[in-house]
Amino acid sequence: MTTPSPTADTGAELLPIATPARTRAALRTLIRPDRGLALTGLGILVAATAVGLLVQPLLGRIVDIVADGRPAGDLTLPVVLLVAVAVVQGLTTTLGLTRIARLGETVLARLRERFVERALNLPADRLERAGAGDLTARVTGDVARVAEAVRSALPEMARSVLAILLTLGALALLDVRFLLAALLAVPVQLLTARWYVRRALTLYADQRVANGAQQQQLLETIGGAVTVRGHRLEEQHTERSAGRSRKAVDLTMRSVNLVLGFYGRLHIAEYIGLAAVLIAGFWLVRDGAVSIGTATAAALYFHSLFGPVNAALVLLDDAQSAAAGLARLVGVTDLAEQPEPRAGKAAPVSVPQQRTVSSEAAVTVHEVSHAYGPGRPVLHEVSLTLKAGEHVALVGTSGAGKSTLARIVAGVQQPTTGTVTAPASTGEASVVLVTQEVHVFTGSLAEDLRLARPDATDADLRTALSTVHALDWAEALPGGLATVVGEGGHRLDPARAQQLALARLVLADPALAVLDEATAEAGSAGARVLERSAEAALAGRTALVVAHRLTQAVAADRVVVLEAGRVVESGPHDELRDADGPYAALWRAWSGSRATTAPHP
């Protein structure tokens, strides 16, 4: 179960956050495969802590020997035992912490893998509503907080809790009155923990949301820097970034003040407990109930509690921060596991799924509608059929719904209502989507290409590159196909990066290819090259092309015109151009602008 998605002041509908109960259940699921390792590690730590508790009685024995004026030789045995206790405790503690650390790293790796897997399967429209900043903050900040807690807080917390419980038991064995005196500090400590937890969980959750909103604003401002400067909005965007940064800083300072107040209250509890134990020791020694050595051991026991108690309570800070981060990660995994309710009219119950498979290489879109939220319809009962091997160009003004329809046909986004019949898969993929925002993965060029087909030979890679007219520049790279590209490697310009994506399409060999403005980022000269590459990559396939330039519509078998989310025209280029309809108006505007901007001879 997850809580409703909070909305940051950016206007984005942030990804959901899991409830505490759901977070605990997810944590149990992550640990369950390694229960044996957890129990073994905990058992060894119990033994190590128990052995360490022998130090205080041995020191008390030394005090009694000195107080009674016994020979120096009587000190030999307790000193030797102290050395033995230190060695045994050191070895067992190391072994126990090693096992706990292994458990933590295993669970952390499992959490990361599950989060990445589920994040990659999130619906595209859900990510768009949340914004990249929220997901980025979870991938970086929240994972880092959980990792830090697993690596440091988890082992220390285990040791501290065991030390507290066993030390209190040891105090009772010395004399139950020592235990009662020590327990006078407990009410203050419990009130301190309650005071802290009630404030910390909400504060840290708000802090993570504010950090996500801050990252989202920075991504939007930096990513749209050219547009921001073009519209002279630098001051406005700077103020927005500063405002969200101030909010994040204010929440951080509130957390610092909370921690300072937490420490102050813990010190008061320490003074109360130690004073009570010393007073109890004074009265018990005076009455002859215990020896000076026993009173010394009791005082040392309580003093040794300072570290574990403070560590356990202080680790609440890390635990609350990590719990807030874990809840945000579990919220994403749950969102991917359970289909998100769609806005608008629900699909009929008689239709179990909105995407079916056809045995022919054709696509049928039947009365598909889509909305990104209540009152935000993008597509209205769109019906469209692509025949096997047909190339269809989608054209229309900005906001007409072209990219949304392309993503629905590609299967990366589900429609609000309606059905899509896709071609059956004969290889690795039945549908491949190539957008204008391609990514060059870090690694060799060959590895980047093999993402589409891992078993492809070098000959297959060269054939794919040759098909999209990219083999010449690929072989001219310093290392040829072995050249490292991506971040930190050889930089590929937008046109070459897009050719790389088209070569992956050729390797995947889908029955249906969907191109969403795949030539838009290359500029005019690069677009002409990419149009040739795209045409070659699409040869022999059924294709749906969101046309950035109407030259792509001219080359298509059929043109479909979208207007305000509806199909208003469909037919060959020549027929629509001469029909004096919406497409003819687009053609005149586009061809006229090209004539105006063309250089004079």
Side-chain angles (χ1 to χ4, degrees), residues 61-316:
R61 178 65 177 167
I62 292 174
V63 169
D64 283 339
I65 291 173
V66 173
D68 294 342
R70 298 179 186 178
D74 291 351
L75 295 174
T76 302
L77 180 59
V79 170
V80 170
L81 290 175
L82 280 174
V83 174
V85 165
V87 172
V88 173
Q89 185 185 24
L91 292 175
T92 53
T93 300
T94 300
L95 182 59
L97 289 179
T98 300
R99 290 184 174 272
I100 294 295
R102 184 182 301 169
L103 171 67
E105 291 297 332
T106 302
V107 171
L108 180 60
R110 191 175 293 125
L111 173 64
R112 281 174 168 162
E113 290 169 0
R114 185 168 300 181
F115 177 80
V116 171
E117 178 186 356
R118 302 288 168 76
L120 290 174
N121 290 318
L122 287 177
D125 56 334
R126 188 63 185 86
L127 285 177
E128 289 177 356
R129 296 202 305 272
D134 186 33
L135 186 60
T136 301
R138 299 187 192 218
V139 171
T140 55
D142 292 321
V143 170
R145 290 292 178 91
V146 175
E148 182 181 355
V150 166
R151 289 169 180 155
S152 58
L154 178 63
E156 189 61 32
M157 177 68 83
R159 290 183 60 193
S160 298
V161 171
L162 289 173
I164 292 169
L165 295 176
L166 294 178
T167 301
L168 291 176
L171 276 172
L173 288 176
L174 291 179
D175 193 294
V176 72
R177 286 167 287 189
F178 287 126
L179 175 61
L180 294 176
L183 291 179
L184 291 177
V186 173
V188 179
Q189 292 167 336
L190 291 179
L191 289 174
T192 297
R194 184 169 178 267
W195 171 84
Y196 175 78
V197 169
R198 291 177 62 182
R199 289 161 176 78
L201 188 58
T202 301
L203 179 58
Y204 284 121
D206 291 343
Q207 190 176 0
R208 300 309 305 156
V209 170
N211 288 339
Q214 179 191 32
Q215 289 195 30
Q216 177 64 27
Q217 181 60 46
L218 292 174
L219 287 171
E220 290 177 353
T221 301
I222 295 172
V226 175
T227 303
V228 170
R229 287 196 298 268
H231 290 275
R232 299 181 181 275
L233 298 174
E234 297 95 334
E235 184 175 345
Q236 180 180 350
H237 275 259
T238 299
E239 180 56 33
R240 286 181 183 175
S241 299
R244 281 154 196 152
S245 296
R246 282 194 297 270
K247 183 174 181 179
V249 170
D250 289 343
L251 287 170
T252 300
M253 293 308 301
R254 283 176 55 191
S255 68
V256 169
N257 290 330
L258 182 66
V259 171
L260 290 176
F262 179 62
Y263 284 147
R265 287 167 170 79
L266 289 184
H267 292 325
I268 293 173
E270 290 175 0
Y271 297 147
I272 292 174
L274 184 58
V277 170
L278 290 175
I279 291 172
F282 171 78
W283 287 105
L284 290 173
V285 170
R286 192 187 67 170
D287 294 343
V290 298
S291 66
I292 295 177
T294 301
T296 301
L300 291 175
Y301 269 138
F302 186 81
H303 190 274
S304 70
L305 281 175
F306 286 7
V309 169
N310 287 350
L313 294 177
V314 168
L315 285 174
L316 286 173

Side-chain angles (χ1 to χ4, degrees), residues 550-566:
L550 291 189
T551 50
Q552 295 170 294
V554 175
D557 299 316
R558 182 158 52 100
V559 179
V560 173
V561 183
L562 282 182
E563 192 171 280
R566 291 182 170 86

Side-chain angles (χ1 to χ4, degrees), residues 292-446:
I292 295 177
T294 301
T296 301
L300 291 175
Y301 269 138
F302 186 81
H303 190 274
S304 70
L305 281 175
F306 286 7
V309 169
N310 287 350
L313 294 177
V314 168
L315 285 174
L316 286 173
D317 181 65
D318 293 334
Q320 294 302 314
S321 181
L326 182 60
R328 284 160 56 82
L329 297 178
V330 173
V332 172
T333 61
D334 284 352
L335 180 64
E337 282 181 331
Q338 302 170 358
E340 187 182 7
R342 301 184 183 94
K345 185 171 113 178
V349 178
S350 59
V351 181
Q353 59 182 6
Q354 292 179 298
R355 189 174 184 84
T356 57
V357 175
S358 170
S359 59
E360 299 178 0
V363 178
T364 300
V365 178
H366 180 65
E367 295 185 354
V368 162
S369 297
H370 189 72
Y372 287 110
R376 297 171 56 196
V378 179
L379 298 176
H380 304 272
E381 297 184 347
V382 173
S383 293
L384 176 66
T385 299
L386 278 70
K387 299 177 182 178
E390 184 181 25
H391 291 184
V392 173
L394 276 180
V395 301
T397 57
S398 179
K402 304 184 299 296
S403 293
T404 300
L405 180 58
R407 289 200 295 266
I408 289 173
V409 170
V412 299
Q413 186 165 304
Q414 292 295 318
T416 302
T417 61
T419 59
V420 177
T421 301
S425 175
T426 57
E428 291 294 327
S430 61
V431 184
V432 168
L433 171 68
V434 180
T435 70
Q436 60 179 314
E437 298 174 352
V438 298
H439 184 74
V440 179
F441 295 88
T442 301
S444 70
L445 184 65

Side-chain angles (χ1 to χ4, degrees), residues 505-525:
L505 184 152
V506 173
L507 287 166
D509 194 22
L512 170 65
V514 180
L515 269 58
D516 184 6
E517 296 189 349
T519 65
E521 294 294 318
S524 298

